């Protein structure tokens, strides 16, 4: 169980604390959610499906994928 918490801990970190290119104080999980909500015309069901893989990624993969997704 502790592994699962550790795996997802990066999701709760502020964007600006993890990425030097971000000045957002949003937790990473919220930034991912907001990105997909905007892309999906605020379709909650579609967004939930697209966000789900990010919730179980290990920290290294999550950081890499978020950078690809959100870095302007």
């Amino acid at each position: 169980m502790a592994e699962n918490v550790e795996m997802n801990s990066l999701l709760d970190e502020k964007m600006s604390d993890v990425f030097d290119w971000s000045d957002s104080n949003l937790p990473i999980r919220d930034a991912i959610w907001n990105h997909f909500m905007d892309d999906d015309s605020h379709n909650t069901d579609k967004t939930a499906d697209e966000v789900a893989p990010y919730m179980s990624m290990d920290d290294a993969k999550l950081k890499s994928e978020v950078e690809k997704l959100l870095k302007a």
Side-chain angles (χ1 to χ4, degrees):
M1 183 89 163
E3 277 184 53
N4 208 13
V5 172
E6 184 179 327
M7 239 173 74
N8 295 324
S9 64
L10 191 63
L11 289 167
D12 297 319
E13 296 292 324
K14 286 192 275 185
M15 288 287 294
S16 60
D17 288 348
V18 177
F19 302 104
D20 59 3
W21 48 264
S22 178
D23 59 3
S24 175
N25 287 324
L26 281 177
I28 291 173
R29 77 172 67 244
D30 292 350
I32 295 168
W33 180 265
N34 291 346
H35 172 81
F36 282 113
M37 279 294 276
D38 289 344
D39 277 4
D40 296 334
S41 300
H42 298 271
N43 179 328
T44 305
D45 291 333
K46 186 174 180 186
T47 296
D49 289 343
E50 290 182 321
V51 167
Y54 292 87
M55 299 301 118
S56 60
M57 288 179 185
D58 65 61
D59 285 354
K61 181 166 175 75
L62 178 65
K63 192 172 179 181
S64 171
E65 293 299 316
V66 168
E67 191 156 326
K68 287 183 217 171
L69 186 69
L70 301 178
K71 189 174 181 181

